[in-house]
Amino acid sequence: MSLDPFWDWLANTDLAFAIGATWWFPLLESIHVIAIALVVGSILMVDLRLLGVAARSYAMRRISRELTPWAWAGFAVATITGAGMFMTRPAAYAANPAFQTKLVLLALAGINVAALHNLAMRDIDRWDTDAATPRTAKFAGAVSLVIWAGVILAGRWTGHLN
Amino acid sequence: MTDLLANVSQAIANSSVREFILYALTNVPGLPPIIQSVHICAIAVVMGSIMFVNLRILGLAVPSQQPSEMIRRLLPWTWWALPFLFASGVVFVIARPVRYFFNPVVGIKFSLLIPALVLAATLHALSRTEPEYWEITAQRRGLARIIAAISILLWLSVMMAGRWIAYADYLFWPES
């Protein structure tokens, strides 16, 4: 099944034309960058706590509870602005290897979060307020940092290939 | 002033450093997006430090953390992001000096960045004089809130302007 007819339709919507041919595109792009900085900035603080290198006097659960909603809010804005840019040339983006890599990395980030919650966070009561964190937590934090740096790189590379 | 800019940008344009950087940017596969990603990662660090400090002062984020303590703990991250931002940004300025020196958005970006840095330095310096400097009186809490609100607007504008520098090329020199 080819998605080409759908990409064609999408690229020919009034909204796609409005974004592609006006200042809307750079506006969405700059909001996209700010949203990504919010996602990665808040996740960075959680990851550094998971690694046991920053905010060591704060409980892990509290750090996570107070920062995760900001990461999700940023992610929602990034998704909406990203979709706006995507629809201007959907077939080209879908075939863009950097963009494909970015989607794979985002899926891996999701798997990493799920693994974190099912492994390290399951016995959080035992280490919540400890400055030092268990090995599973450190691993999830380190993996997250690498994945998000990769998401940023793949995202920026997307623009150079399109 | 325009003469000075013209002379400096010409000097850079004729330098061998520029020749080397331009060669590297055009011949090393992926070098431009890699350097730009360093810039964006450092912007994320700014977001995860001074911006969250500002959001905390305004009572919008991380309620369990105390503002003055947060400032002392997080602002060093903001300062450490700066050399990375500078190094990853200046590469592109050296590669195309004339374009950047005469791009009005560059001027806007830096005239917003400087007050943003001054406000961050003010929060940081005063927070080191007393453990609860920014909490202790109503006036200081009010002042901190004003600083935080202005700082958020400045940083968001700096980030927006950064992205618009590339588009100013099309807006001001559509023929080139």
Side-chain angles (χ1 to χ4, degrees), chain B residues 8-74:
Chain B
V8 174
S9 60
Q10 266 318 314
I12 296 172
N14 298 327
S15 68
S16 50
V17 177
R18 188 237 182 170
E19 213 171 308
F20 170 74
I21 288 179
L22 206 51
Y23 178 84
L25 285 175
T26 42
N27 290 285
V28 178
L31 192 60
I34 289 168
I35 298 174
Q36 288 163 346
S37 297
V38 171
H39 206 73
I40 299 172
C41 286
I43 293 170
V45 173
V46 168
M47 198 61 114
S49 52
I50 181 66
M51 282 300 256
F52 266 91
V53 163
N54 289 329
L55 289 170
R56 170 63 191 96
I57 290 171
L58 292 174
L60 298 171
V62 286
S64 73
Q65 303 189 17
Q66 186 237 16
S68 292
E69 182 273 336
M70 215 184 155
I71 290 168
R72 288 188 295 270
R73 181 162 47 86
L74 290 183

Side-chain angles (χ1 to χ4, degrees), chain B residues 123-145:
Chain B
L123 285 179
H124 198 185
L126 291 173
S127 77
R128 290 160 94 164
T129 61
E130 284 174 60
E132 298 190 0
Y133 184 91
W134 292 109
E135 289 80 18
I136 219 141
T137 65
Q139 283 98 320
R140 285 189 193 169
R141 286 195 295 274
L143 178 62
R145 261 180 239 131

Side-chain angles (χ1 to χ4, degrees), chain A:
Chain A
M1 191 190 76
S2 167
L3 283 168
D4 289 347
F6 176 65
W7 297 146
D8 252 6
W9 168 82
L10 193 61
N12 284 298
T13 54
D14 288 344
L15 184 59
F17 273 112
I19 296 167
T22 62
W23 290 33
W24 273 88
F25 194 94
L27 182 66
L28 289 180
E29 200 179 0
S30 37
I31 296 170
H32 196 67
V33 175
I34 290 170
I36 287 167
L38 180 59
V39 173
V40 179
S42 48
I43 288 179
L44 174 68
M45 291 191 275
V46 177
D47 287 346
L48 291 173
R49 180 64 184 87
L50 280 172
L51 284 165
V53 301
R56 290 157 61 97
S57 59
Y58 289 91
M60 180 66 233
R61 210 159 11 191
R62 189 150 258 195
I63 290 278
S64 172
R65 196 184 301 149
E66 290 183 353
L67 288 169
T68 311
W70 287 94
W72 280 112
F75 191 77
V77 175
T79 306
I80 293 165
T81 51
M85 293 188 284
F86 176 84
M87 69 192 294
T88 60
R89 302 179 66 205
Y93 282 112
N96 186 320
F99 186 73
Q100 292 167 347
T101 307
K102 178 173 174 172
L103 294 184
V104 170
L105 287 170
L106 286 173
L108 290 176
I111 293 169
N112 185 49
V113 170
L116 169 72
H117 282 275
N118 286 302
L119 298 170
M121 296 299 262
R122 210 152 54 177
D123 62 347
I124 180 78
D125 289 328
R126 285 202 296 124
W127 58 274
D128 193 22
T129 55
D130 294 355
T133 51
R135 206 174 300 164
T136 44
K138 286 196 174 75
F139 184 75
V143 168
S144 169
L145 288 179
V146 172
I147 290 177
W148 284 104
V151 169
I152 287 177
L153 179 59
R156 189 54 282 221
W157 212 315
T158 299
H160 286 271
L161 295 182
N162 243 42

